[in-house]
Amino acid sequence: MDIKLIVKKVKENSPQADTELLELAFDFAKKAHQGQKRKNDEEYIQHSLHTAFLLAQIKADINTVIAGILHDVPEDTEFTLDDIEKNFGKDVASLVEGITKLSKIKYRGVERYRESLKKMFLAMARDIRVVLIKFCDRLHNLRTLDALPEAKRQRIAKETMEIYAPIAGLLGIWRLKWQMEDLCFKFTNPEEYQKLEYKYEVEKKTERNQYINRVKNILGLELKKADVPYTIEGRFKHLYSIYRKMKTKGKQFDEIQDVFALRVITDSVENCYQILGIIHAIWKPKPNRIKDYIALPKPNGYRSLHTTVFGVDGHATEFQIRTTEMDEEAHYGIAAHFHYKQKSGSENSLKQPQWIKEILSLQRANENTEDFIKQIKFDVFRDRIFVFSPKGDVFELPKGSTPIDFAYAVHSDVGNKAAGAIINDQISTLDHELQNGDAVEIIIEKNRKSPNRDWLKFVKTARAREKIKQNQPKSNFSSITKFLPRV
Ligand code: MN
């Protein structure tokens, strides 16, 4: 890896970026790691450069790329964080400091595992860029895992599968998640990996390529006629996800891979819909398989149009249609999100997803690490839904949430005084499970003093649970609640 490639990549992402500091960081790190070698006998600086390049690939900002080059300096060399701050400023130094703290994470049994997860989440809440650096550092370590002793390889692979990959998915950085998973799969289950790789790369290859080319030709012709710009991709190798589907669904490789998938990328939202129309004019769509994630994005921000059609020879074919920007967001998740926000000139408008803010409040509410992790898994790792307030404000909640969870997400007063709910213009009970896209209105009882303790039986979010407990009447006259309307 050459520093010039990294400079080029950064310039590609943001042409106005001042890359001089980047080259200085390279000189500095090279000097600091002088004479150090990796286990595979490579110069140590190569690891720093690969980490930085991966960061540039996911469109991280220039300070993050610089911190990527410097990330192992305080830990492994005679230079300190102060040296870094003096030369590269506070922002870079604080990123490197974050990484140095995180590097103490090691998978050693369940207790340590929880501690690691907690550290990772907290680092994320403080500055998500630290975790991006950690991911790229890890990905390069996985690529060079061959050089390590077997026991250490297994430990790192396991830790990656349990901590790093799920968090990368949470942040929508699928590209990193999939690469990490496939690399780990190869180490933890070499036989299965090789079997699947053979099926994918050898047995199925010709059939897949021929089919995809036929579809490309037919569709390409129509898109040209309509004068719509496009590129079509037809290869998404992700062996671990195939393997997992085979396991959980008890199916064979051929059954999982029976739907051909293609991705059509274009320049504007209007053209996405036009392409959808063109595809449906050529092939009959399967009922109930048209998904408009552009009008209603997935809770993690994913946008695309999906449809499955009876394609050439009636063969089920799935299309994902999206713009270049959506495509990059789908690969790079939160990182690309920052990138586009910065591009539009509003550098300080970096909006963290709601759940990142929740992590900090969860930490305050849960002294005990085990509870903290349990709650995080529940609130964060679960699927999320979007619901709307009567004014059209969007609220993000874990799946399975009820109107009471919604009420407390709006405001504690709304929760404390909730008496009923209207969901999509229908009167509903307070324990009703909300669905993605529901419009929810809470009916308030102004004179109500405290929330109903029984709500604890069905609320899902930590925030609602905490507020209900907090706002219980302090006196012994708990019978008061009995006169209040029940759910
Ligand atoms: Mn490293």
Side-chain angles (χ1 to χ4, degrees):
M1 177 59 60
D2 194 318
I3 182 69
K4 289 200 189 84
L5 283 175
I6 300 169
V7 170
K8 194 174 152 232
K9 197 90 209 156
V10 168
K11 282 269 187 207
E12 248 171 61
N13 293 341
S14 31
Q16 78 290 355
D18 175 12
T19 48
E20 209 172 303
L21 208 57
L22 188 61
E23 301 200 48
L24 285 174
F26 168 65
D27 294 337
F28 184 90
K30 198 175 168 196
K31 199 172 127 207
H33 290 297
Q34 188 77 50
Q36 293 178 348
K37 292 232 165 159
R38 299 261 294 171
K39 284 265 163 26
N40 63 0
D41 217 35
E42 251 187 346
E43 294 286 334
Y44 200 95
I45 189 72
Q46 278 303 315
H47 166 66
S48 319
L49 288 175
H50 277 284
T51 304
F53 185 73
L54 287 166
L55 283 163
Q57 264 189 331
I58 62 168
K59 295 181 183 293
D61 70 337
I62 186 159
N63 279 354
T64 310
V65 179
I66 292 173
I69 293 188
L70 301 169
H71 80 272
D72 281 326
V73 166
E75 188 89 329
D76 296 335
T77 78
E78 61 188 73
F79 293 89
T80 64
L81 265 176
D82 278 345
D83 297 325
I84 290 177
E85 188 173 334
K86 262 181 237 139
N87 287 286
F88 304 99
K90 259 206 160 59
D91 191 43
V92 171
S94 105
L95 289 170
V96 176
E97 187 186 7
I99 278 296
T100 310
K101 280 187 188 150
L102 263 187
S103 72
K104 308 262 159 33
I105 289 185
K106 294 233 158 65
Y107 186 91
R108 296 209 181 101
V110 181
E111 262 319 300
R112 292 286 192 94
Y113 160 69
R114 292 205 187 100
E115 222 19 81
S116 305
L117 260 187
K118 183 175 178 178
K119 263 193 188 170
M120 192 79 118
F121 278 118
L122 292 176
M124 206 151 83
R126 265 182 234 119
D127 191 334
I128 197 123
R129 296 175 301 169
V130 170
V131 175
L132 296 181
I133 300 171
K134 192 70 202 161
F135 284 158
C136 293
D137 171 48
R138 174 53 57 105
L139 186 57
H140 184 250
N141 284 337
L142 288 172
R143 286 184 182 162
T144 49
L145 214 52
D146 273 323
L148 298 182
E150 176 64 17
K152 206 167 177 193
R153 265 189 251 170
Q154 293 299 334
R155 179 176 70 68
I156 291 176
K158 191 169 181 206
E159 180 192 68
T160 306
M161 284 300 227
E162 294 200 348
I163 303 177
Y164 289 71
I167 294 178
L170 205 60
L171 297 174
I173 316 169
W174 299 106
R175 213 185 123 102
L176 292 186
K177 178 181 154 81
W178 289 343
Q179 288 180 26
M180 288 197 266
E181 282 180 348
D182 276 4
L183 282 163
C184 293
F185 179 34
K186 195 169 145 191
F187 284 108
T188 53
N189 211 334
E191 282 139 55
E192 291 292 331
Y193 180 89
Q194 262 147 31
K195 258 195 245 165
L196 287 187
E197 173 148 66
Y198 180 80
K199 279 187 191 289
Y200 191 94
E201 291 294 354
V202 184
E203 278 182 12
K204 272 266 170 180
K205 193 175 182 179
T206 322
E207 189 194 347
R208 184 179 58 236
N209 287 351
Q210 279 176 356
Y211 183 81
I212 285 169
N213 282 335
R214 284 171 76 190
V215 172
K216 268 187 184 173
N217 288 339
I218 297 168
L219 180 59
L221 201 69
E222 296 303 317
L223 293 177
K224 268 190 204 118
K225 270 193 220 158
D227 205 20
V228 178
Y230 71 91
T231 49
I232 301 177
E233 294 168 8
R235 190 192 138 87
F236 318 108
K237 184 176 157 191
H238 181 204
L239 297 178
Y240 180 70
S241 105
I242 297 173
Y243 173 72
R244 206 182 40 218
K245 277 185 198 149
M246 286 168 63
K247 281 269 167 222
T248 54
K249 296 185 178 168
K251 288 189 170 173
Q252 297 296 314
F253 179 87
D254 293 333
E255 293 175 272
I256 300 286
Q257 283 280 294
D258 69 336
V259 178
F260 288 108
L262 283 104
R263 192 170 289 153
V264 190
I265 296 157
T266 187
D267 61 341
S268 69
V269 170
E270 296 80 69
N271 280 336
C272 290
Y273 288 103
Q274 204 188 339
I275 291 169
L276 182 73
I278 290 170
I279 290 170
H280 286 172
I282 308 173
W283 298 291
K284 209 184 191 38
K286 272 195 164 180
N288 305 322
R289 294 299 299 270
I290 306 163
K291 302 256 162 63
D292 186 346
Y293 296 121
I294 293 179
L296 199 63
K298 281 193 184 178
N300 64 11
Y302 175 81
R303 290 180 300 159
S304 240
L305 299 174
H306 287 194
T307 185
T308 303
V309 301
F310 299 99
V312 180
D313 300 333
H315 202 119
T317 308
E318 190 198 68
F319 287 96
Q320 300 173 355
I321 310 156
R322 52 173 85 146
T323 64
T324 312
E325 182 176 336
M326 292 173 199
D327 190 50
E328 296 201 333
E329 279 185 8
H331 287 140
Y332 310 132
I334 203 158
H337 213 73
F338 286 175
H339 176 71
Y340 284 104
K341 279 269 165 56
Q342 283 180 351
K343 250 188 161 175
S344 60
S346 46
E347 198 144 347
N348 292 322
S349 69
L350 299 184
K351 235 180 107 189
Q352 292 191 323
Q354 203 172 329
W355 53 262
I356 291 191
K357 289 179 216 144
E358 279 169 24
I359 289 170
L360 285 176
S361 68
L362 279 177
Q363 194 219 1
R364 284 192 290 274
N366 295 277
E367 295 278 309
N368 175 313
T369 301
E370 195 179 335
D371 293 346
F372 172 76
I373 297 303
K374 239 172 53 207
Q375 196 61 54
I376 286 247
K377 278 192 170 160
F378 205 85
D379 278 21
V380 181
F381 272 106
R382 271 173 83 98
D383 287 339
R384 315 275 298 175
I385 55 166
F386 280 144
V387 296
F388 299 92
S389 76
K391 283 184 207 149
D393 291 330
V394 184
F395 289 83
E396 197 191 318
L397 294 166
K399 204 174 165 217
S401 288
T402 64
I404 292 295
D405 294 292
F406 169 79
Y408 279 104
V410 175
H411 195 280
S412 4
D413 268 353
V414 179
N416 290 340
K417 296 184 188 310
I422 300 174
I423 301 174
N424 306 327
D425 297 326
Q426 302 266 334
I427 300 257
S428 168
T429 55
L430 288 172
D431 62 351
H432 182 90
E433 182 177 321
L434 296 174
Q435 303 298 318
N436 200 21
D438 278 349
V440 189
E441 188 180 344
I442 298 296
I443 303 164
I444 285 176
E445 193 183 287
K446 279 201 183 107
N447 299 325
R448 181 166 199 151
K449 294 277 186 302
S450 60
N452 189 337
R453 209 179 163 83
D454 287 348
W455 293 344
L456 289 171
K457 289 179 190 147
F458 58 76
V459 291
K460 293 291 186 292
T461 52
R463 183 180 160 82
R465 191 167 303 117
E466 200 189 318
K467 294 286 172 191
I468 293 167
K469 284 186 195 156
Q470 257 176 31
N471 292 294
Q472 287 305 307
K474 295 276 182 299
S475 67
N476 288 326
F477 302 110
S478 58
S479 56
I480 287 171
T481 51
K482 292 201 178 115
F483 299 107
L484 293 170
R486 290 280 167 160
V487 173

